[in-house]
Amino acid sequence: PKGTSQSLSLFYCTTHTPPLHRNPNHLTLHTIQGQATLTTSNTHPPMYSLLFLIVLFLLVSPPLPCGGLSTPPTFTRKQFIRASVPLSILLSASLPSPAHSAGGKVVEPPSTEAALARFTASRDTLNSLLSQYPAISAKGGDEIRRYLGTVGTTSPLLGIRATLKVLQDSADDIVEYTEAMEDFDRHLASADQEAYSSMFVEFSAAKGKPEDFYDRAKKDVEIMVKQLNIMANEIM
């Protein structure tokens, strides 16, 4: 009826009915003086946090212009990142941190100081790779990958993504930093793939020789250094 509460209530003539519990949905029907109210237990707070952040994002977003579906709004990549990065930070803060295991042990994200030291060491390692590239690549694709942190455990680039994410909050321009970080990730994956493929080109039907793969991997590394320099300008 008009004017009644919007909560889900069931009115009936009995004066008392034992509570009804329905698992696993955790729905509870409570009856108090002839009124039954259906409630749910909050067993998944991250989901409610996600819904809250989505609503918050919609509230703070500028209204879309009218004009029908014939003229849909367009967004540049930088506009999209500028809108999504703050939301992703809020979302990551509201969700429980997943356990990163290595050898059965939980690995905590590095501190800001440790991440900054690892960032500097990673940049030095890539510069060293470029300055000695002919000698390093002559030892094969796995030697290049060892510098990239995708083979072995000695390179500071091992797990570099976690390091870059820790430093993201310290960036003066988080959009500029995030774009450089994403580009760095793409070229790291590309350089690793080129170096890996170089070890099998002589035994496959693919055209080319290992040196061709080494050259493409080197170009990726050069872009990686460029993106690290951009990120360094934002955090140092």
Side-chain angles (χ1 to χ4, degrees), residues 83-106:
S84 62
V85 166
L87 181 62
S88 64
I89 293 175
L90 288 174
L91 179 58
S92 63
S94 67
L95 297 177
S97 300
H100 303 280
S101 60
K105 297 182 179 179
V106 175

Side-chain angles (χ1 to χ4, degrees), residues 114-179:
L116 189 58
R118 197 176 186 92
F119 179 93
T120 302
S122 296
R123 191 161 54 152
D124 292 343
T125 296
L126 290 180
N127 284 324
S128 178
L129 170 61
L130 290 177
S131 64
Q132 307 175 63
Y133 200 79
I136 293 173
S137 60
K139 298 179 181 179
D142 265 351
E143 191 64 20
I144 297 175
R145 300 175 72 209
R146 204 175 307 280
Y147 277 78
L148 297 177
T150 55
V151 167
T153 59
T154 57
S155 173
L157 275 84
L158 176 65
I160 185 65
R161 176 73 179 188
T163 297
L164 299 180
K165 291 291 289 183
V166 168
L167 297 174
Q168 186 178 26
D169 292 340
S170 305
D172 294 330
D173 187 337
I174 195 171
V175 175
E176 192 76 17
Y177 182 95
T178 302
E179 286 186 328

